[in-house]
Structures are given as structure tokens and as C-alpha cells.
Amino acid sequence: MKKRSPLPYAVLAVGIIAAGILGYQTRSANAVPADAVTMTAEADGFAGPVKVSVTATADKIYAVKVLENGETQGIGSKAIDQLPGVIVEKNSLAVDGVSGATFTSNAIKTAAADALRQAGFDAARFGAEPVQAETTADTAMEIPADAIRAIGEAQGNNGPVKVEIVADKEKIYSVKVTEHQETMGIGDKAAEQLPAAIVAGQSLQVDAISGATVTSNAILEAVRAALASAGLDASVFEHAPLVSGEKADDVVLDTDIVIIGAGGAGMTAAIEAADAGKRVILLESQSMVGGNSVRATGGMNAADTIWQDENAFDEAAGVEKTLKTAAEKYADNAEITGLAKTVQEQWDSYRLAPDGYFDSVELMELDTMIGGKGINDFTLVKTLAENSAGAIGWLDTIGAELHNVGSFGGASVKRIHRPVNAEGKTTAVGAYMVPILEENVKKRENISLLLSTTAEEILTDGKGAAVGVKASGETGNTVTIHAKAVVLTTGGFGANLKMVEQYNPKLKGFMTTNAAGAQGQGIVMGEKAGAAVVDLDQIQIHPTVEANSAHLITEGLRGDGAILVNSEGKRFIDEVGTRDVVSAAEIAQPGSFAWLVIDQKMADKSAVIQGYIKSGYTVTGEDAAKLAAAMGVDGAAFSETLDSWNGYVAAKQDPDFSRTSFAEPLEGTLYAIKVMPGIHHTMGGLRINTKTEVLNGEGQAIAGLFAAGEVTGGVHGANRLGGNAVSDFTVFGRIAGENAAKLAG
């Protein structure tokens, strides 16, 4: 709302420059002996190969230089400026990466290690990680001389998936994914895990990796293609996987804190608790981390941040509309009325002396309360908004930068903070954040991550306090964990369609955008431990789910200027309204679907849109008439709709549906995605307080039991605003980790 001092960032910039200078001084200060060797190598960075030269002897590194790279200026360039000097100064590759530039840092260290190996030196002597053997085949399996090596390819979610196999007519000895463009944190997990499963089971009927079905199927099809190209009969391997039948031993573990669910909230809580010095066991029922969090496409809402100030303020109409809604529809709601009074005062003051970008914690609270129809737990809403800007700063410290700010449905102003890729294009927040959270979890020695381990019961003592968890391991063995605190971060129940129908029968038959693990187990376990629940009937449907694949299409496209048209080629709603309102309007259209229309300018700025195009979700046309034909709608009606909309954009006024968010006109080459509503988020769950303590039916905290994220209820009320889910799991995940650590002593 007001300009913040740029001093901290000026200091940071000076620090970066100084670090770069010191790095080069360190290299030049070392006298390089005559027997030193200089070698070059490269490794994949964020935006492509990073080429590095290293000058060294067997026991000392004298120089490291990045020769070529395509990394992002201001992000990857930080690692290029700083890391070589640190490696030389420490004479080690076992140094921390540069915050916010993890991929580039790892590329520099990997390339430097390879250069040392090429020079004939022991890279491990300098702290390099050992070269990992391929895990795609049974390394104990002897490969006969007549085995055939072959290549196969199939279409994945984002493009071709290529594999290399080694096999004969009776056995598959090796499967390796050699090339793919699948989503990090989702599809790449299938590329990591499925090849070994194929070899171990000697089967093409192995289960797909949960949450990565399309990529899994592509790998299997590519293996079939490779077998065919080798002249081998793939049907030999079309049987149930071979299994050893061995059950692992039951195990009993002791820890300070056990966290159930390794999605965004769980990993955030684990990092905070570990950084407080506590031992943490993090359980995940699926074979990979991420849950629903990895599927988040938009960004994270945060109020009154320095990154908002980088935008010109042009959202006066949005603020006025929200204040009008509060006065006309919520005059009997004390919290909303009080917030509206405060925001009105802030708005009047800003208009008298505009300074920076206008937003406030109270305006975020007001938007969230109105979006939730006023039934939200106001104390939780305040906690969410008041800690949102700090959460953006915390994410910076672990290497997750959300600095691009845009518009989103239900928000009065530009508030959603998004990541950008190496080309400066916005990208999906979940696929960006989850790998960074996972990396932070794995590098903390006091966090133990147990995948494919399903919690079944919260253990309690004689007084009802939570003291541990009973779980089932991958082979069916019992895993018992004793702990001083238990944190539930299991997510909602959006993938449990029977449970959805139980609480909201009107949603029977709807598709879902949820990950397979969103089954509501945490809610059931919490209730058995005495927890109260709230708002379980409040289940959100998202208006833009791709009609054929059930893939979530980000709300950010509408915030960036997209429109929705029906099968008659006409707009029918304010596209950036709340999800419940837009979904209801969409259901009321002929066929209960719509077309989301974007243009080439938007596609050029968004890696997300480019992914939709590659995945085949779009139809396209060089102009309105040709796009109308591709959509199968009336050309004259659609052309009139588009002309009217572009006029509204120019005038910054929408007389048809009172939309207040405008970007640029839609023109040139156009694209459209067929969308319909799908089950997206369950607002209800366990009742918690602002400390994330789980409450019983009397409103008292259950000792030792905490919860965060979608497993909880209250903060979102009757409808969640886009961008508030990431805020929710980050803010309350941090609070849960901090308070569980305090309880653990």
C-alpha cells in the first residue's frame, strides 16, 4: 500500500556483486602450479547446459569458471557469480547452493565434479557425491551377450517420452527413460520409479505411479514400442508383476514429532520443526511427495508485499466493487462490516496520497470472508492474511521465489504471487514449489521421510493426548511411531467420491482434479481421536477443468485476460468472480461446459499455456472466425462477442457482467480450451485454533495433536479463493511445525 524501503534489496545486490568479486579474487590469488590440469564439463541447469572449467591438482582446486550458460538473470546468475569462488575458497564441492538458484548451483557442482573426474582426480576427495549407478535395472542380473538394446517412444503429458531397453525374448534386463518433458514433481517421479518396477516385476502390467498416470502409461507404451522395434514379443510381459511375497519386519520408531502427509503443509511443517532442532518422521501414503499441492497451478496470495509495488495500481474498480458487495450483501455480518470500514478508511487515505500499490492485510481478509460467504472462522482468516507476506519471505530463504504478481478470481487487487521459469514466463506454482520443499526435507538430517507408508491410527495415552501413530508399510508390515507431538497434514477428501457424495449428494458424478491420496483419512483418524469437524458439506468445484482429461486449467488465465464463452459463442459471467459463482453459471449453460479463450500474446508469456498446447488441450484459429469453427460455435456470434470484449478492455468497463479485471485485447492467433466444473477443494475438515491445535467437541485443544492444510476446516468458509490454498499450507504448515516443536521441548 505504500512504498517500502529498497535498502534491504540494495544491500543484497551489493552483497551479490561483492561475492562475485571476492570469488574471482580468490581464484586469482592462488598460485597455480605447473602440474595443475584444466578440464571442462557440463551439466543440465534450469534453462539448459551449464559449462564449467576447473583448474586443479589431485588435492587442490585453483580455479572454477562458468564458460557457458543460459540461466535466468537475477536468479541462476547469482549462483554463477557466487558459487565458483566459494568452491575454490573451501576447496570443496560440498558447499551449500545459492538460495533461490538451486538448479544452477547443482549444475555447477555436478559439472565441476565431472571435470575433476575427466582429469583423473578423485572427485569424492573434494566432497562430490558418488556417481549413482542406474537404478533402472536389476544390477545383480547378468545380461547375456545376445540381449538386444532398443529405443522406443510414446506421447507423455507434455511431449514425447523416450526409453532405452535391454531385453531378450524372455527377460527385460534394463529400462531407462532417456528423454522426457514431464512436469517436475509429478511426471518425473514416474520416470524415476517405474523403470525399476518394470524390471523387478518383469511386467508391463505394473501399476502406474499414483498422480502420474499419463506419464506412467507413456513409459509403458514406449517400452512396448522398443520391444517391437527389437523384434521381441511384448505380450510375453503382459502379465501381473512377479512379487517376492516377502513381508518386511514390523518396526517401532521413536521421534520428537511425527507428521502424517508429505504435501505442502507437511513438508513445510517438517522443515520448521527440524530447523527448531527436533527429530521428525514424515509419513506419506503415496510413492512420491506432493499430494494435491504439486497440482496447484496458480500461485500464493499475500497482502501488502514489496513485490506488489512493482505493479502500477489500476484496480480501483475492484476495491470499490468489494466495498459495495460488503455493504449490500453483508451488512449483518460484524466481521465483514468491521473490515469494510477499515478498508474504506485505508482506501480514502490512499486516494488522497497514492504511494506504491494499494493492498492491505484487511483487504485480503475482506476478500477471503466475502469469498467464503461470511461463514469463515475469522480468527483463522486473520492469521492467514497477517502471516502471508512473511510466508513469501520464508519461501525465499528455502529457495522458492514467488515474485511475479497477478490477478486472480475473487481478489480485489493483484495479489497472487507466482514463480517464473528461466525465460521469465509464469509457471505452475505446485510443480515449482514441491521439488524445492522436497529437497529441503531431504537435506535435513533430522527428518526421516517414509514413502508408501499409510497412517491408520493416532495413538493416544490414558488422558487422550496424541502420542504417536500406527501405520502400514509398503509390504503390509506394521510401523509404530512414538512421538511427543503428531501433526496431521493429510489433505482433504476430494478424490474420495463416495465421501464427497455423502456430504454433498449434488456432486455425484462430477470429475475430480484431486490427487489419488486425497481420501480424507486424516479427518477420519482425527475424529476417532476426539476431534471436532466443521463445514464438511462445503466442497468446491472449479470452473475450468479440461473436459477430457480432468486436468486443472489455472484460474490465472482469466486473471491475465482470458474470457469464457458458451456453446453459442457468448460470454455469460464475470470470469474472475469466485469459483462457486463461475461454476454455477457454467453449469447453467447448454451442455454445462464452456470454452476458455486466450491469444498468442498470453501463450508467449506463459509456460503453463504452452504446456496446455503441447498436451493437446487447445483448439486454435488464426482469427475469430477460424477459432469459432474449431470450437463448433456460431462464427458471427463469437466474432461479435470478441469485438465487444476488446472494446470493454479499451474502456476498462464491462457493462454486461461488471468485470473489473482487464488486461489486453484478445487478438491475432487465438486458442480455446473446452472446460467444465470439477471437484477441486474440500473446505471442511478438522476444527483448529490459530496455533493449529486440533480442537475437540467442547472447543478444547487435544494435547499433542496439530493439523494444517486441507485436512482442516474453517479458514475458507463456503468457498476458497484461488491462491489461498498455497497461503494456507505455507502459513499454517509453518505454525504447526513451530508449535509442535515447542511442545516437544
Side-chain angles (χ1 to χ4, degrees):
M1 188 160 60
K2 64 180 181 179
K3 285 290 184 184
R4 297 155 191 82
S5 169
L7 180 59
Y9 296 91
V11 171
L12 176 61
V14 171
I16 291 172
I17 294 169
I21 293 171
L22 287 173
Y24 282 101
Q25 287 177 340
T26 301
R27 292 194 294 273
S28 61
N30 288 318
V32 181
D35 61 344
V37 179
T38 299
M39 296 295 291
T40 62
E42 66 179 42
D44 288 335
F46 189 85
V50 175
K51 189 173 184 179
V52 171
S53 72
V54 178
T55 301
T57 59
D59 59 1
K60 191 172 183 63
I61 298 173
Y62 291 91
V64 176
K65 184 177 181 181
V66 177
L67 303 176
E68 298 175 9
N69 77 93
E71 304 301 89
T72 307
Q73 190 65 30
I75 303 176
S77 62
K78 294 179 184 178
I80 291 165
D81 289 341
Q82 299 177 44
L83 200 59
V86 176
I87 292 171
V88 174
E89 180 183 355
K90 301 294 185 182
N91 197 39
S92 173
L93 298 175
V95 295
D96 290 338
V98 174
S99 178
T102 303
F103 291 100
T104 308
S105 298
N106 289 342
I108 293 170
K109 291 190 284 185
T110 300
D114 287 346
L116 288 166
R117 294 186 187 101
Q118 289 178 32
F121 301 140
D122 180 8
R125 161 74 177 75
F126 299 98
E129 294 288 337
V131 177
Q132 297 295 316
E134 293 292 346
T135 58
T136 52
D138 184 349
T139 54
M141 197 181 297
E142 184 177 345
I143 301 176
D146 60 349
I148 301 171
R149 187 179 301 272
I151 304 296
E153 178 179 321
Q155 182 65 29
N157 196 55
N158 297 335
V161 174
K162 296 182 180 180
V163 304
E164 178 185 272
I165 68 165
V166 178
D168 59 25
K169 63 182 181 180
E170 296 179 345
K171 204 160 199 174
I172 298 174
Y173 298 94
S174 171
V175 176
K176 180 180 179 182
V177 177
T178 58
E179 186 177 323
H180 72 85
Q181 304 171 48
E182 302 303 271
T183 305
M184 187 173 296
I186 305 178
D188 68 331
K189 296 299 183 182
E192 292 172 5
Q193 299 175 29
L194 199 63
I198 293 170
V199 174
Q202 288 297 299
S203 171
L204 297 177
Q205 298 293 324
V206 295
D207 290 338
I209 301 302
S210 178
T213 303
V214 175
T215 307
S216 298
N217 290 339
I219 293 169
L220 292 168
E221 286 303 314
V223 172
R224 291 184 179 101
L227 288 166
S229 72
L232 301 173
D233 183 4
S235 67
V236 172
F237 307 102
E238 299 288 358
H239 56 71
L242 304 177
V243 294
S244 67
E246 293 183 8
K247 180 180 176 181
D249 292 336
D250 294 342
V251 62
V252 178
L253 304 171
D254 288 283
T255 189
D256 293 321
I257 299 164
V258 59
I259 300 174
I260 309 172
M267 289 192 286
T268 298
I271 292 166
E272 283 285 22
D275 287 351
K278 304 307 172 187
R279 295 172 299 132
V280 179
I281 293 178
L282 178 58
L283 304 181
E284 172 53 50
S285 65
Q286 304 299 298
S287 61
M288 62 182 181
V289 304
N292 267 351
S293 303
V294 77
R295 298 183 173 211
T297 57
M300 173 178 164
N301 286 337
D304 205 16
T305 71
I306 58 172
W307 307 110
Q308 287 174 294
D309 279 343
E310 295 188 357
N311 294 270
F313 184 74
D314 193 26
E315 282 71 44
V319 178
E320 296 285 359
K321 183 177 180 180
T322 296
L323 291 170
K324 182 179 179 182
T325 299
E328 292 180 352
K329 295 185 177 181
Y330 295 98
D332 59 346
N333 186 300
E335 285 91 1
I336 290 178
T337 301
L339 285 171
K341 181 176 183 295
T342 300
V343 171
Q344 183 69 65
E345 292 170 353
Q346 294 169 341
W347 178 231
D348 291 342
S349 177
Y350 177 84
R351 285 186 296 176
L352 288 173
D355 185 17
Y357 191 87
F358 179 77
D359 194 14
S360 69
V361 167
E362 291 79 12
L363 181 54
M364 180 175 173
E365 293 169 3
L366 182 59
D367 283 337
T368 301
M369 291 293 293
I370 289 176
K373 304 294 184 284
I375 71 169
N376 321 55
D377 182 326
F378 183 51
T379 63
L380 297 180
V381 173
K382 282 179 62 66
T383 301
L384 179 78
E386 289 172 357
N387 290 279
S388 61
I392 292 288
W394 178 79
L395 288 172
D396 282 344
T397 69
I398 66 167
E401 296 184 348
L402 307 182
H403 297 167
N404 178 284
V405 181
S407 298
F408 231 58
S412 302
V413 298
K414 289 186 175 73
R415 185 181 294 133
I416 193 159
H417 292 62
R418 306 174 293 192
V420 296
N421 65 10
E423 298 173 347
K425 298 175 181 177
T426 56
T427 189
V429 68
Y432 169 77
M433 282 182 63
V434 164
I436 294 172
L437 288 168
E438 182 179 13
E439 180 185 17
N440 276 271
V441 164
K442 289 182 175 179
K443 77 179 185 181
R444 284 163 170 77
E445 295 181 356
N446 51 341
I447 300 177
S448 298
L449 174 62
L450 304 183
L451 298 174
S452 300
T453 305
T454 303
E456 297 174 341
E457 180 185 355
I458 297 170
L459 303 178
T460 56
D461 64 14
K463 297 180 180 179
V467 293
V469 171
K470 181 181 178 182
S472 177
E474 186 172 12
T475 64
N477 60 313
T478 299
V479 180
T480 304
I481 302 169
H482 299 297
K484 299 172 184 176
V486 177
V487 182
L488 280 166
T489 54
T490 51
F493 57 94
N496 187 336
L497 299 183
K498 289 184 178 179
M499 195 170 177
V500 167
E501 184 183 347
Q502 174 187 346
Y503 289 109
N504 193 333
K506 294 179 181 178
L507 297 179
K508 181 179 180 179
F510 274 65
M511 67 176 73
T512 181
T513 67
N514 284 248
Q519 295 292 324
Q521 310 101 311
I523 295 172
V524 174
M525 284 188 288
E527 285 188 286
K528 288 181 179 178
V533 294
V534 61
D535 297 336
L536 289 180
D537 60 331
Q538 301 299 329
I539 300 170
Q540 182 179 76
I541 52 177
H542 194 291
T544 53
V545 179
E546 202 276 324
N548 297 309
S549 67
H551 189 96
L552 179 65
I553 305 300
T554 178
E555 196 166 358
L557 301 193
R558 287 173 280 143
D560 289 341
I563 62 171
L564 291 168
V565 300
N566 60 19
S567 59
E568 298 172 346
K570 300 176 181 178
R571 289 180 67 225
F572 53 88
I573 191 66
D574 169 8
E575 291 87 351
V576 292
T578 55
R579 289 172 175 174
D580 57 331
V581 171
V582 178
S583 293
E586 198 169 80
I587 291 170
Q589 302 310 302
S592 297
F593 71 89
W595 290 96
L596 181 72
V597 181
I598 55 183
D599 69 4
Q600 189 65 54
K601 295 192 303 295
M602 294 179 65
D604 290 342
K605 296 176 182 177
S606 172
V608 173
I609 295 177
Q610 291 172 11
Y612 297 157
I613 295 169
K614 288 180 182 178
S615 297
Y617 298 156
T618 59
V619 296
T620 187
E622 295 175 359
D623 53 33
K626 291 180 180 177
L627 182 65
M631 292 188 291
V633 306
D634 183 82
F638 178 64
S639 294
E640 182 180 350
T641 294
L642 202 61
D643 288 343
S644 296
W645 170 249
N646 287 339
Y648 300 162
V649 172
K652 301 296 183 186
Q653 187 174 10
D654 175 14
D656 294 338
F657 302 105
S658 301
R659 177 168 168 171
T660 61
S661 171
F662 304 95
E664 297 182 51
L666 296 170
E667 54 194 8
T669 299
L670 301 168
Y671 301 87
I673 303 172
K674 188 176 182 180
V675 294
M676 58 197 313
I679 296 161
H680 183 55
H681 191 92
T682 49
M683 276 76 69
L686 303 177
R687 189 183 291 275
I688 61 170
N689 60 22
T690 58
K691 297 179 181 179
T692 69
E693 295 171 316
V694 177
L695 306 180
N696 61 22
E698 288 72 46
Q700 300 170 331
I702 298 173
L705 187 59
F706 301 84
E710 198 175 346
V711 72
T712 69
V715 66
H716 303 298
N719 179 66
R720 177 177 66 76
L721 296 187
N724 270 0
V726 179
S727 308
D728 182 358
F729 77 60
T730 306
V731 168
F732 289 105
R734 293 186 68 201
I735 293 171
E738 291 168 357
N739 286 324
K742 289 177 183 177
L743 180 67

